[in-house]
Amino acid sequence: METLCFHDGNITDLINRRTLDVRNDFNSDLQMHSSLVRRLSLERELEGHNGCVNSVAWNSTGSLLISGSDDTRLNVWSYSSRKLLHSIETGHATNIFCTKFIPETSDELVASGAGDAEVRLFNLSRLNGRGLEENVISPSALFQCHTNRVKKLAVEVGNPNVVWSASEDGTLRQHDLREGVSCPPAGSSDQECRNILLDLRCGAKKSLADPPKQSLALKSCDISSTRPHLLLVGGSDAFARLYDRRMLPPLSSSQTKLPPPPCVNYFCPMHLSDCGHSSLYLTHVTFGTNREEVLISYSGEHVYLMDVNPAPGSEMRYTSGDVSKLMSFNPMTSRVELHSHVSGVFFNGFPVRNRVAAKLDKCRKLVQIAEKSLKEGTNFYYGVEACNEVLDGHGHEIGPTLVHECLCIRAALLLKRKWKNDAYMAMRDCHRARKINPSSFRALICMSEALSMLGKHEEALEFADAARSLAPSDFEVGEKVDNIKKHIAAEVEKAKKENDRGSKSEYRAGRVLSLSDIIYRHEGNGDALQDGPEREDSDFDEELELDFETSVSDEGHDFDSNVLHGSLNFRIHMRGDSATETGRPNGASGLPTPACQNNKVPHQPETVTDMKQRYVGHCNTGTDIKQASFLGQKGEYVASGSDDGRWFIWEKRTGRLLKMLHGDEAVVNCIQCHPFDCVVATSGIDSTIKIWTPSASVPSIVAGGSAGPEPPNVLDAMEGNQRRLCRARETFLPFEFLERFRMHEFTEGSLHPFECTQS
């Protein structure tokens, strides 16, 4: 697989294209060419902060880089000299999470958003003639109307007058500098800032079929550079949302909590749309460089690519009913003609039959590599990548026979590999294979196995029975059906015993809960990498709500500054208790019940856009600002930070891993590609910014960084990240509670804060 070329070709291909097609933008092709990306290595570390660097952003020309940190400073760096030009003491009370250059201001106006819920703007021209030590200037604008942390800022290309801010208070606000440069603090008696563009304080959905009820703590937002009326947001549930600003209601104030406005589109992988996990949320959303795609990154999950406008009738669009249909056996009657076809298409007057035949031969060899991996029970990852290359790189060019074979092989490999949600991906492949060949024995068997791994034993039995009807004398199929029946019988017996013991009521009232019991819900299969079945007592988790108080005291005690000593007092009540519907935080006290909680109008489930590619290998669980970014002007590569101190680069089209680099001692959060050059800036828990350029002497899939050389086996790192992702526990306390302590690990008897976790 290492010798397999990427889809942007080699240098010879580039030269030929430049000769044949004078309209082609050669510079954008070359900026992030695979031959350069695979030579990326650490060129320099920019030193100037004293805390985690939570945000980096280039100006429009790429001549300047701005960064924001836990030290509450804004630093501006020169790209050409790699030197610090300005270091602004912003006056923020807590960590800076987002920074931006304001367009069309000659890069003199910059903005910052922070954990103190404030948005501040600074004019860099006021620093002209001053030294680096003379860094205190008053903000040009100060907006204090948010009631929770500001996690993302957005600006519109060509518009110097407006800044948008997304906050965990559930609102996205529009700050028009022509109307004012300040507002009173949130909660003031004169608090009447009418600048809420998007009110999602009752917009979060637990699943696709459920109506929105809870506040959607916004984590990220983006505005399309080519169609600036399009606004993309993501937050504390599984759904990214696309809005048309022209269709939103007038700006409102925080005094009135409005129902969520209708959005243009929802984005969510189908297998995540109905899981109901309270801990699943988005950390980053962004538009693609072609503005026809969006990239979204989940905490505790992977990075996914979606189309903004799937074709009408496309399988990329689904509803909540389609989720259950995928897992149910339905006989299929339509069938695709199973034959390979080599077209005699002509290009510039020359036949390309030979070229297509060569691609078919290449795909057959890749399928053979994948089949060998499956039979030998080794190298499942490389077998999956071989199938990805065939299906995602050449699927439209090869016949349905080879597509069907490759889908079935990839499904079987995914079930053997058992990385997070591989079983769901295998189900998708089986479904596609059955649409090509409804009587596909192999697809039915793999589907049955995937459902069984997910605890869907009754559904698995349906597919196994269907497979047995196609091969009644097959001993392996008969044995599989018998095993599934045993699983079902065991599950029924287990449920009966639990009901007899009254385990649920015992859990609610009869047993003293440890701190780990309260914070984590442990699921059944603790050793498996694959997600297990959903708990049957999830109704209890849905109803449980916690109020909490914290007290920290150091009177008369000498304690380690790295350990937080204190006490936790919990008051547990059922949601819906009249005593708890008032006195809510964030200024909601005494407000009437919002319209979104009016149950008189039945909720109509929305239509959602499904994924078209998945990027795996990294781990995103420790921080909620981890970015996933497109690289280059054409956006042909995707990059993401990881909790293991590495950052990963994949080929967008196939999801194939291109590069893995060590970029931090702990966690890489931010990745920003230079607008025009093959240069990438990254940051994370370290107090430095890393600048990466294609300066390595030879191309490779790994490269050493500030923390030393990489292990020779890439799979070691990727599988380690999968084990982190697949730990069989799910927090059901609000993540805001965990963020209150900003902890790395919550263990019995003590809290161990980790400064930049959840920052």
Side-chain angles (χ1 to χ4, degrees), residues 721-737:
N721 285 333
Q722 288 302 308
R723 284 191 290 272
R724 288 188 184 190
L725 283 178
C726 297
R727 281 178 184 156
R729 65 181 185 180
E730 179 202 348
T731 62
F732 67 93
L733 284 181
F735 57 82
E736 290 86 353
F737 170 74

Side-chain angles (χ1 to χ4, degrees), residues 29 75 83 90 117 165 191 272 306 321 335 362 376 390 504 511 575 615 730 751 757:
D29 283 343
N75 284 357
K83 291 183 179 179
T90 62
S165 58
Q191 173 68 9
L272 301 181
M306 280 104 165
R335 183 187 183 100
K362 169 187 170 183
E376 294 180 353
V390 173
K504 188 180 293 188
R511 184 167 68 86
R575 186 171 293 144
Y615 307 98
E730 179 202 348
L751 288 164
T757 294

